[in-house]
């Protein structure tokens, strides 16, 4: 068992790690939302029509809720759109890596 001062220090450090991860994820989410608006606003205006819609769409992806319905992974010619896949997969990997680091450093 930790002494009282050590427990207080550990809890304080835990919240610092969580706050740092929150800010990192907010920056990553905002950057990917801006990229999404830049490249997909005409292709999927219901998901990336403006910045607030893009932030909500990227949060849905980060939460694992759904794939973006307005941007299919396959083109009209049934060819895979690798740029869209790389965009979403890289976002998911960065977000999950950040969350893994928080879990590893707090427990």
């Amino acid at each position: 068992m930790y002494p009282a001062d050590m427990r207080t220090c550990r809890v304080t450090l835990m919240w610092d790690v969580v706050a740092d991860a929150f800010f990192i994820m907010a920056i990553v989410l905002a950057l990917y939302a801006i990229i999404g608006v830049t490249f997909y606003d005409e292709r999927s205006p219901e998901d990336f029509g403006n910045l607030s819609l893009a932030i909500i769409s990227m949060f849905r992806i980060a939460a694992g809720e759904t794939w973006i319905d307005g941007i299919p992974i396959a083109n009209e010619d049934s060819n895979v759109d690798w740029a869209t896949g790389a965009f979403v997969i890289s976002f998911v990997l960065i977000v999950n890596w950040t969350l893994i680091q928080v879990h590893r450093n707090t427990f």
Side-chain angles (χ1 to χ4, degrees):
M1 198 43 96
Y2 294 117
D5 293 336
M6 197 66 156
R7 261 182 284 168
T8 304
C9 181
R10 183 168 169 81
V11 169
T12 303
L13 288 175
M14 181 182 71
W15 284 111
D16 287 345
V17 169
V18 171
D20 290 345
F22 172 78
F23 288 120
I24 290 170
M25 287 182 55
I27 290 170
V28 168
L29 193 125
L31 287 173
Y32 271 84
I34 291 169
I35 293 169
V37 169
T38 303
F39 290 112
Y40 300 114
D41 63 339
E42 294 174 0
R43 193 168 165 192
S44 180
E46 64 276 359
D47 292 321
F48 290 102
N50 58 32
L51 187 61
S52 61
L53 290 174
I55 288 174
I56 291 170
S57 297
M58 297 312 294
F59 183 78
R60 287 175 58 200
I61 292 173
E65 180 183 343
T66 185
W67 180 266
I68 301 171
D69 298 329
I71 303 177
I73 194 68
N75 293 334
E76 298 82 26
D77 304 334
S78 298
N79 294 327
V80 175
D81 185 7
W82 292 106
T84 303
F87 173 72
V88 174
I89 290 170
S90 66
F91 175 71
V92 170
L93 286 175
I94 291 171
V95 167
N96 286 332
W97 182 258
T98 305
L99 291 176
I100 287 171
Q101 297 305 315
V102 169
H103 184 276
R104 188 178 67 114
N105 289 327
T106 55
F107 296 107

